[in-house]
Amino acid sequence: MARAQRVLVGVAVIATVAIVALYLAIIRSQGGGEPSPPDVLTVPFVAAYLLLMAVLLGVSLLAPAGARPALRGAAAGGLFVLAVLALFSIGVAILLLAGLAIAATVLAIVERPGARSVVSAVLAGVLAVAVLVAGFEVSSHYLVCPSTGESGGTTASLLGHSSSYDCNNGVLTVH
């Protein structure tokens, strides 16, 4: 069973790094000479969050058996929720990673059965989702307007705190 866990986690880590590289390449190719979107932190946050999930999975390979359910549960929860939120872009690929992380979490729980393993995996997953939501809230509300031109829109919010904004030659107005 230990070999199966190492393979699941190893594949998930490598695939996560590959998806981050693909995601950043896709975002860069969409620029086409147009100014970047005002929410300049969202793409770096998503990439960093995915890499954090890969780190958690990788660390779980070196961690004591008692810590593995929490580390893998955090990655599984974070990847699953991110996959659902990104379903219309890279979500399907992330959903496959979440499946691998969920399987690795289940194997870690089976290896150390008991309420402590299950509770630590669930709590870590909830914490990872809270970090994801907080990161999206911060990154979507940090706006930078291009120095020329006009644009506007509405900030995204998972907690219902969206606001509309206008950019006019580098000047940001939030409504």
Side-chain angles (χ1 to χ4, degrees), residues 49 53 56-57 60 65-81 101-130:
Y49 188 82
M53 297 300 104
L56 290 175
L57 287 169
S60 78
R68 290 180 195 144
L71 292 166
R72 294 175 185 173
L79 288 170
F80 181 78
V81 172
I102 290 167
T105 303
V106 169
L107 290 175
I109 290 171
V110 168
E111 183 180 58
R112 300 260 317 188
R116 182 175 175 208
S117 291
V118 173
V119 169
S120 69
V122 170
L123 288 178
V126 169
L127 179 62
V129 171

Side-chain angles (χ1 to χ4, degrees), residues 35 38 144-152 165-173:
V144 176
C145 291
S147 59
T148 59
E150 295 180 7
S151 63
Y165 65 90
D166 295 313
C167 289
N168 188 4
N169 293 321
V171 177
L172 173 66
T173 306

Side-chain angles (χ1 to χ4, degrees), residues 21-166:
L22 179 64
Y23 172 63
L24 292 175
I26 290 170
I27 295 298
R28 282 191 193 110
S29 72
Q30 290 176 344
E34 294 187 20
S36 61
D39 60 337
V40 296
L41 295 180
T42 301
V43 169
F45 169 71
V46 170
Y49 188 82
L50 282 167
L51 291 175
L52 174 63
M53 297 300 104
V55 167
L56 290 175
L57 287 169
V59 167
S60 78
L61 291 173
L62 306 172
R68 290 180 195 144
L71 292 166
R72 294 175 185 173
L79 288 170
F80 181 78
V81 172
L82 182 58
V84 170
L85 293 174
L87 204 52
F88 293 108
S89 62
I90 61 170
V92 174
I94 297 172
L95 191 58
L96 295 172
L97 296 175
L100 293 173
I102 290 167
T105 303
V106 169
L107 290 175
I109 290 171
V110 168
E111 183 180 58
R112 300 260 317 188
R116 182 175 175 208
S117 291
V118 173
V119 169
S120 69
V122 170
L123 288 178
V126 169
L127 179 62
V129 171
V131 168
L132 178 67
V133 170
F136 271 132
E137 288 298 314
V138 170
S139 67
S140 68
H141 286 83
Y142 181 84
L143 304 172
V144 176
C145 291
S147 59
T148 59
E150 295 180 7
S151 63
T154 304
T155 60
S157 177
L158 298 173
L159 301 176
H161 298 100
S162 61
S163 56
S164 57
Y165 65 90
D166 295 313

